[in-house]
């Protein structure tokens, strides 16, 4: 757990300074973090999403209907995942809101990010900020 | 039916329930069902090619809750021991109970919790396999969600499918669930250590399986006592 926390903090620090991101370093750290959450499956009673382990949910994560999470997914405290969302190989930090029908693969989404719309496929990116439509999204390639 | 109208059936949870679709969306629902089935088949074929090209033996294990799927896998992985590198994918509605049991026998396990879905599909397996180096494995077992109905809808791309029932489910269980027996290569009738006590008509069960699928291999086992596990492994080509 300690090493996991350390790595997630390192990742957070890197993505908070986007101009300094060295994609290669971040990728290594990202993969190493995802391998740490091995053999974990969240027990989430609600709308019964599908989980492919490892899936790590922090406190008070809200998950919509018909959601598929995993493998290799970390979701931070208080984040909200909309209906019909699919997430794999990704880190979602705390207080993130994902709209309906997003498919997210190999992404890091920084804390307090909001996606206030529906229907989008996101791959291999670092994302942040308040996004009220697809055009608002500023992606950094991962 | 106001409630029915209110929901509008905008979401059809179970694609096979096309009779729930209103006339306006009936064509669309049928079209979607066909596309989904086609996609599952395509993914399953792709998985099978991957397994074969890595010389991996692969098995989809289906059967009702409590038939003994996990117990038989525990026996098999125990016997295979350290000689093989084994990946076991376990499907359940919730919990990691099965994966925890099996990983005690030197197998790597991945648990899938399907939530509301009553069977694994090829996409679930594809999502796991694409993250794995298949050079690391000799055998892949997939223990499907405990259910004798839904898994028949989705092939998973394994070489063999094995259906497990137990005599405690009653002698009509095979006759009542023909589809999975039609689509399986091996039928296992488990818990025969209880035969004397229960008086189940075992011959009927065996004959039913053969009648439904003349090509199916039928074997009786007791996972609890370890009876016929070697013979089962032979049938599986292990």
């Amino acid at each position: 757990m300690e090493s996991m926390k350390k790595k997630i903090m390192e990742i957070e620090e890197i993505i908070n300074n986007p101009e300094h991101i060295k994609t290669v370093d971040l990728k290594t750290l990202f993969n190493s973090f995802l391998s740490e959450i091995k053999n974990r499956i969240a027990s989430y009673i609600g709308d019964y999403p599908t989980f492919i382990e490892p899936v790590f949910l922090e406190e008070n994560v809200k998950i919509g209907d018909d959601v598929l999470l995993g493998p290799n997914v970390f979701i931070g405290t208080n984040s909200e995942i909309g209906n019909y969302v699919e997430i794999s190989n990704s880190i979602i930090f705390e207080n993130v809101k994902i709209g309906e029908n997003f498919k997210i693969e190999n992404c890091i989404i920084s804390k307090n990010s909001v996606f206030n719309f529906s229907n989008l496929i996101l791959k291999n990116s670092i994302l942040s900020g308040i996004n009220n439509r697809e055009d608002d999204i500023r992606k950094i390639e991962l | 039916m106001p409630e029915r109208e209110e929901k509008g059936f905008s979401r059809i949870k179970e694609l096979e329930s096309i009779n729930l679709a209103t006339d306006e969306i009936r064509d669309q629902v049928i079209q979607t069902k066909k596309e989904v089935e086609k996609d599952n088949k395509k993914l399953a074929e792709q998985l099978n090619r991957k397994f074969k090209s890595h010389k991996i033996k692969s098995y989809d294990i289906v059967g009702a809750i409590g038939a003994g799927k996990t117990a038989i896998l525990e026996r098999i992985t125990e016997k295979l021991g350290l000689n093989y590198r084994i990946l076991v994918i376990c499907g359940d509605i919730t919990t990691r109970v099965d994966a925890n049991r099996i990983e005690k026998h030197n197998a790597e396990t991945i648990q899938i919790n399907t939530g509301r879905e009553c069977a694994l599909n090829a996409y679930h397996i594809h999502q796991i396999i694409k993250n794995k180096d298949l050079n690391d494995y000799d055998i892949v077992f997939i223990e499907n969600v405990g259910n004798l109905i839904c898994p028949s809808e989705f092939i998973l791309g394994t070489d063999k499918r094995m259906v497990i029932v137990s005599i405690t489910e009653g002698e009509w269980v095979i006759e009542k669930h023909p589809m999975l027996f039609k689509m399986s290569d091996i039928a296992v009738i488990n818990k025969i250590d209880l035969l004397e006590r229960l008086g189940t008509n075992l011959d009927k069960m065996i004959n039913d399986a053969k009648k439904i699928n003349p090509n199916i291999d039928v074997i009786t086992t007791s996972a609890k006592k370890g009876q016929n596990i070697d013979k089962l492994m032979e049938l599986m080509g292990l």
Side-chain angles (χ1 to χ4, degrees):
Chain A
M1 275 300 259
E2 276 308 304
S3 132
M4 208 176 117
K5 270 187 193 156
K6 210 180 128 204
K7 278 181 188 154
I8 195 96
M9 278 162 74
E10 270 179 67
I11 292 171
E12 195 166 15
E13 211 180 298
I14 295 172
I15 59 165
N16 283 341
N17 298 292
E19 62 277 17
H20 300 305
I21 291 178
K22 279 193 222 150
T23 313
V24 180
D25 286 355
L26 182 59
K27 242 183 181 166
T28 314
L29 193 57
F30 175 66
N31 288 331
S32 142
F33 172 75
L34 290 177
S35 68
E36 290 248 347
I37 57 173
K38 197 175 142 193
N39 278 9
R40 279 169 198 275
I41 198 144
S43 65
Y44 182 91
I45 312 278
D47 285 313
Y48 298 101
T50 299
F51 293 133
I52 301 175
E53 76 176 356
V55 175
F56 192 103
L57 304 181
E58 284 198 320
E59 294 292 300
N60 201 31
V61 170
K62 290 193 181 68
I63 304 172
D65 212 353
D66 271 8
V67 169
L68 170 58
L69 300 182
N72 307 316
V73 170
F74 174 94
I75 302 180
T77 312
N78 295 325
S79 286
E80 288 181 28
I81 311 297
N83 299 330
Y84 317 111
V85 168
E86 183 182 321
I87 306 175
S88 61
N89 296 316
S90 295
I91 299 171
I92 315 284
F93 280 92
E94 63 200 70
N95 289 316
V96 170
K97 273 190 192 157
I98 311 267
E100 200 167 276
N101 186 20
F102 271 62
K103 185 169 174 177
I104 299 169
E105 204 180 316
N106 290 321
C107 289
I108 300 177
I109 301 184
S110 65
K111 75 173 168 193
N112 304 321
S113 302
V114 176
F115 297 86
N116 266 329
F117 56 97
S118 304
N119 315 326
L120 189 67
I121 295 175
L122 290 168
K123 283 183 184 180
N124 311 318
S125 313
I126 303 165
L127 301 132
S128 60
I130 309 289
N131 304 278
N132 290 314
R133 55 206 173 99
E134 197 178 333
D135 292 347
D136 294 343
I137 293 180
R138 297 284 169 267
K139 285 191 250 185
I140 299 173
E141 206 175 312
L142 179 66
Chain B
M1 223 183 278
E3 200 188 328
R4 194 171 158 158
E5 276 164 26
E6 191 190 316
K7 283 185 181 167
F9 288 92
S10 58
R11 299 181 55 234
I12 305 296
K13 287 258 179 210
E14 301 287 341
L15 275 173
E16 67 265 34
S17 306
I18 55 165
N19 49 354
L20 280 176
T22 56
D23 293 348
E24 291 74 34
I25 60 164
R26 192 178 155 82
D27 292 353
Q28 197 187 328
V29 171
I30 292 171
Q31 199 50 41
T32 309
K33 180 179 156 68
K34 283 184 184 168
E35 291 294 325
V36 169
E37 281 169 357
K38 204 167 73 191
D39 282 354
N40 189 79
K41 195 169 171 244
K42 221 192 284 174
L43 269 179
E45 285 166 356
Q46 194 183 311
L47 280 165
N48 192 256
R49 280 196 298 273
K50 273 191 188 172
F51 289 144
K52 281 208 166 83
S53 69
H54 288 84
K55 297 190 170 52
I56 292 174
K57 293 178 177 177
S58 55
Y59 306 88
D60 174 15
I61 297 161
V62 298
I65 299 162
K69 297 183 294 299
T70 314
I72 284 178
L73 266 175
E74 278 182 291
R75 287 288 184 183
I76 292 173
T77 46
E78 197 182 346
K79 277 181 187 280
L80 291 170
L82 298 167
N83 300 326
Y84 296 91
R85 298 162 305 163
I86 305 165
L87 176 67
V88 184
I89 299 169
C90 300
D92 268 297
I93 299 293
T94 186
T95 78
R96 202 181 188 280
V97 173
D98 289 357
N100 289 341
R101 279 172 63 186
I102 292 166
E103 76 185 3
K104 287 181 186 147
H105 306 284
N106 301 308
E108 181 185 332
T109 56
I110 306 258
Q111 182 74 51
I112 304 178
N113 283 164
T114 55
R116 279 196 282 227
E117 291 176 61
C118 52
L120 296 177
N121 60 51
Y123 186 69
H124 294 139
I125 309 305
H126 163 79
Q127 286 294 87
I128 291 173
I129 295 303
K130 77 171 186 190
N131 281 293
K132 294 282 175 196
D133 181 354
L134 288 183
N135 293 310
D136 291 343
Y137 306 100
D138 303 307
I139 304 170
V140 173
F141 295 110
I142 303 170
E143 182 185 343
N144 220 311
V145 179
N147 191 312
L148 268 178
I149 307 152
C150 311
S152 62
E153 297 270 324
F154 302 100
I155 54 164
L156 303 181
T158 55
D159 290 332
K160 284 192 170 154
R161 180 181 260 178
M162 181 161 101
V163 53
I164 301 179
V165 287
S166 62
I167 60 164
T168 54
E169 291 161 59
E171 60 219 32
W172 298 277
V173 66
I174 296 177
E175 189 183 3
K176 282 177 169 178
H177 299 90
M179 198 49 100
L180 268 179
F181 290 85
K182 250 182 209 166
M183 298 174 71
S184 294
D185 306 284
I186 303 169
V188 180
I189 304 173
N190 192 32
K191 303 191 188 178
I192 50 163
D193 49 301
L194 299 172
L195 191 58
E196 207 172 303
R197 206 176 169 88
L198 295 176
T200 313
N201 187 346
L202 190 59
D203 288 340
K204 173 180 164 44
M205 294 177 86
I206 297 169
N207 291 337
D208 283 348
K210 281 284 183 194
K211 213 189 303 170
I212 292 163
N213 179 357
N215 296 320
I216 204 165
D217 286 315
V218 185
I219 185 162
T220 60
T221 58
S222 163
K224 195 173 181 178
K225 308 266 184 201
Q227 206 176 329
N228 281 352
I229 300 296
D230 287 331
K231 281 189 188 159
L232 169 61
M233 287 169 71
E234 246 172 66
L235 282 180
M236 293 170 82
L238 290 171

